[in-house]
Amino acid sequence: PEALELMKYIKLEFMSRQELLEVENSPLVSTDRLLSAYKAQALMAEKKTGFSCKKDRHHSLANSRNWKGFNSDVMVGTGNIHKTHVLDCDPLQSGNIYKWSIKHVEGSNNGVYFGVIANKESLECDTWLGNQTGGWSLSAYDSAAYYDDEDCVRTKSLSFGRGTKVTFTLDLTGDGTLSASTNGGKAEQLFSGMLAKASSLGASGFLPAASVNWSGSKVQFLGFE
């Protein structure tokens, strides 16, 4: 009786897994109490792990500023071929909201596209962003939003050119939407249903992307917020 009374005050959930295994067959501990202890440990581990992963991922994104292939936050057009470049960062994953800005530093509006691309095995980078399946873009040339070479949305309110800062918000908490604003103005939604399309391509998240074609044209990634 004294041992049973004492066991009431022992917090099983704070015991190690090995210690719990050793008392599993003890008549002093009920099966219900053991199951509750294991459940509490699993929940605590999940909470701890979730926090750590989120912190590490956002820290990684905060330090991601360079375009792949340039080793710089500035991308320069060569005038040779349309090409899509992605940011050298961890893929943007569902369940989160991401916000970042890109600046059209100088050069012609022709061949300048900002947006995102699905992180799939083949990124189809030898074409302009929005001209491939899994690429969503806003064009500087005609202020249109493109996906798979389709003119989805045309909006003069988001026209941009040299010196313009374009801020994107990728909301992956629902079906996946991409919105944009210029120079701190009102944001406008460009695309929806992006998660389903990315999933159908076998993609693991999204990557910020841009295209710049004309020689001397420059765009700069300004960072995540």
Side-chain angles (χ1 to χ4, degrees):
E2 291 182 358
L4 286 171
E5 185 65 24
L6 180 62
M7 287 300 298
K8 294 180 181 179
Y9 300 98
I10 296 178
K11 301 292 186 181
L12 298 182
E13 61 269 25
F14 294 109
M15 296 175 67
S16 69
R17 295 287 180 90
Q18 185 59 42
E19 289 171 333
L20 282 176
L21 288 172
E22 291 176 359
V23 300
E24 271 190 352
N25 297 321
S26 171
L28 300 176
V29 181
S30 68
T31 302
D32 287 343
R33 283 200 66 192
L34 279 171
L35 289 176
S36 295
Y38 280 122
K39 181 179 179 180
Q41 284 195 355
L43 290 172
M44 285 188 291
E46 180 180 357
K47 182 177 181 181
K48 181 179 180 181
T49 303
F51 176 77
S52 298
C53 288
K54 185 174 182 180
K55 181 179 179 182
D56 290 343
R57 178 158 47 81
H58 281 270
H59 175 74
S60 173
L61 290 176
N63 289 318
S64 300
R65 301 186 65 91
N66 292 343
W67 298 105
K68 283 188 177 180
F70 286 90
N71 196 32
S72 169
D73 60 356
V74 175
M75 182 192 308
V76 182
T78 63
N80 295 327
I81 188 174
H82 280 296
K83 192 172 181 67
T84 294
H85 292 276
V86 299
L87 193 72
D88 190 7
C89 71
D90 293 338
L92 312 184
Q93 302 288 353
S94 62
N96 297 288
I97 299 175
Y98 301 91
K99 191 173 184 178
W100 68 93
S101 297
I102 305 176
K103 185 176 182 179
H104 185 190
V105 179
E106 62 182 63
S108 170
N109 287 357
N110 288 340
V112 176
Y113 301 84
F114 297 162
V116 298
I117 193 169
N119 183 39
K120 52 195 177 74
E121 185 174 350
S122 173
L123 294 177
E124 299 178 60
C125 286
D126 289 330
T127 186
W128 51 274
L129 178 62
N131 190 38
Q132 66 276 81
T133 302
W136 293 263
S137 73
L138 178 65
S139 165
Y141 176 68
D142 56 7
S143 305
Y146 288 92
Y147 174 78
D148 197 12
D149 196 23
E150 294 183 3
D151 183 345
C152 300
V153 180
R154 189 177 297 271
T155 167
K156 292 301 181 184
S157 64
L158 291 179
S159 61
F160 68 96
R162 184 171 57 187
T164 304
K165 181 179 80 168
V166 183
T167 300
F168 290 95
T169 301
L170 181 64
D171 187 343
L172 301 178
T173 60
D175 69 346
T177 63
L178 182 67
S179 302
S181 65
T182 56
N183 291 333
K186 182 180 179 180
E188 185 170 337
Q189 182 175 301
L190 302 176
F191 302 101
S192 62
M194 296 171 64
L195 282 172
K197 290 180 179 178
S199 178
S200 70
L201 298 172
S204 57
F206 301 84
L207 294 170
S211 296
V212 54
N213 182 42
W214 284 58
S215 180
S217 293
K218 294 181 181 179
V219 300
Q220 182 179 20
F221 182 78
L222 300 179
F224 288 96
E225 296 183 15

